[in-house]
Amino acid sequence: MHASIEQLLELRDKRPIAAEVFLHVEGCIACRQRLDGFGALRESLRALPDAPAPDLWRTISASLNTPEGIRRTKPDRYAYGLTVAASAILVAALAVMLKLRQEIINPTTSPPPAVAVTANPAILPDVAAAADPVLTSGAGPELVELVNRSHALEAALRALPERRVVQRAGTTATIMGLEDGVALIDYRLTREGRQLDTTQSRELWQRRVDLLNSLVNVRYAEVQPAAYQR
Amino acid sequence: MPRFSDLEVDEVTLAAARSGDSRARVGIYRRFSGPVFNLARRLLGGQAQAEEVLQDTFVEVLTNLNTYRGEAPFAFWIRRIAVNKCLMTLRSPWHSRRASLELAEDPPAAGEVTMHEDHGPCRMVDQVALERALAGLSDTSRLVVWLHDVEGYTHGEIAALLGRTASYSKSRLARAHARLQALLDNESVTEPCMQVSNNC
């Protein structure tokens, strides 16, 4: 009867083992090979290359000077919930951004503009655009509604407190992804504003509203941790 | 990169760090960040989680320097904090949920009892394949293998960490090795020793 793996590992680690097992392994080529194999595997594990550690000193130093940073190290349900929500939103935002990028790269795939929304560019930089009577007069009620919702969400974002100095990398990445998505839409509205028909404008504004809505949700969740702190 | 057992901090640096000296604190971070990060990377299997553990470990180390009494080497004190952070991550709902979709228990290895004839004592294990095989272990098995075989933890210490018995740790280690061997054999990643004379 050959020695078991557990017995061979005991032998490898030079721990006491039954004499008959020791004698068997001494005289058994198969067991000795396996024993040597376990030793070699341990050496291989120890020889695995290390990766360079990222330089997180600034973040750690900021955490040490911020009570929030120290509190952050405690496990909380908030972090779990926020991570799940942020991940879902990030996936959605990336999908929107990918689609937008594809459209920008291949503008020929878009149908030719049938109706210009307005003589003015379709881009509505912040609040000024919502009040633009020229745009809203020719855009239809749905588009006006989207524009108004977009500005309401932007106002809600501005009303939230500023972000903390120390942030979770995952949350920051999500927020940056959403902001990039909004910026990409704004870029497209600026560049192609005059050529966009009503449907295209509505689509872009709908995406803008969706992204801003996600952004508000993430930022709102971010400023709520105190409610879950233990 | 040095391991925990190779590192130590002198009393002067430690005292300076306790009193808030930023150079001493940075020095401690620079010296131990590599071992902490790599330990976390091995135990958790992910870069992002390892970074979180690295950050959380040093925040705890530097805020609790005054509680270090010197009973154990300073490096081992840091390592204990890092291992606890890793365990907290492994037990977190987020990680548990992810792990539940993966391998919670190592399946029995087909080649547990026998070993191929050509896998002699001099075989070399390919590092990439070994990394992949390690990743194929369950979280607990990977933790037991790494802490025992690389970090030198005893079965008693591992048992205390996991809230189990030493026998559990031993049996887990044996199963993990069987699984590792099976994974390595399946990928044909081993190279027979080329030395004809000597031991081969």
Side-chain angles (χ1 to χ4, degrees), chain B:
Chain B
M1 194 171 285
R3 301 218 170 272
F4 285 99
S5 50
D6 306 328
L7 298 171
E8 202 39 80
V9 170
D10 61 85
E11 279 301 321
V12 179
T13 306
L14 206 52
R18 278 181 177 136
S19 65
D21 182 274
S22 59
R23 280 185 61 186
R25 288 175 164 227
V26 175
I28 288 174
Y29 171 76
R30 299 264 179 257
R31 178 166 287 200
F32 289 99
S33 59
V36 167
F37 175 70
N38 281 290
L39 174 66
R41 202 168 60 91
R42 294 297 178 201
L43 298 191
L44 302 174
Q47 176 93 3
Q49 289 175 318
E51 286 184 16
E52 295 259 328
V53 165
L54 174 63
Q55 182 177 333
D56 289 351
T57 298
F58 276 95
V59 169
E60 182 159 336
V61 163
L62 295 172
T63 49
N64 293 294
L65 275 175
N66 287 326
T67 66
Y68 171 65
R69 302 279 173 231
E71 290 101 349
F74 185 64
F76 289 0
W77 182 69
I78 292 183
R79 184 176 68 176
R80 201 185 67 208
I81 292 173
V83 169
N84 283 332
K85 295 288 178 198
C86 290
L87 280 172
M88 280 167 62
T89 302
L90 291 174
R91 289 169 183 154
S92 71
W94 170 251
H95 190 90
S96 305
R97 190 172 174 143
R98 187 177 70 91
S100 69
L101 301 173
E102 297 167 6
L103 205 59
E105 288 281 323
D106 298 312
E112 185 162 337
V113 180
T114 58
M115 193 165 164
H116 294 188
E117 287 299 317
D118 61 347
H119 292 167
C122 293
R123 72 180 194 161
M124 301 290 290
V125 180
D126 180 81
Q127 288 185 331
V128 176
L130 186 53
E131 297 266 11
R132 213 161 30 220
L134 261 181
L137 294 180
S138 67
D139 289 336
T140 310
S141 291
R142 192 169 56 245
L143 181 132
V144 171
V145 166
W146 196 263
L147 289 184
H148 184 273
D149 282 6
V150 180
E151 295 295 335
Y153 274 56
T154 64
H155 285 300
E157 288 168 332
I158 293 171
L161 278 171
L162 297 177
R164 302 289 191 124
T165 62
S167 301
Y168 172 85
S169 174
K170 284 181 189 176
S171 116
R172 198 81 196 206
L173 182 70
R175 284 167 59 190
H177 269 284
R179 174 83 177 142
L180 272 179
Q181 296 280 15
L183 288 168
L184 290 168
D185 288 348
N186 285 343
E187 292 200 7
S188 303
V189 293
T190 54
E191 296 168 7
C193 178
M194 298 306 289
Q195 298 171 340
V196 180
S197 55
N198 301 340
N199 299 327
C200 298

Side-chain angles (χ1 to χ4, degrees), chain A residues 7-28:
Chain A
Q7 289 167 331
L8 290 171
L9 290 172
E10 294 285 276
L11 262 176
R12 182 199 68 173
D13 297 336
K14 300 191 175 14
R15 281 193 292 266
I17 194 160
E20 61 266 27
V21 175
F22 179 81
L23 289 172
H24 168 81
V25 174
E26 280 283 287
C28 174

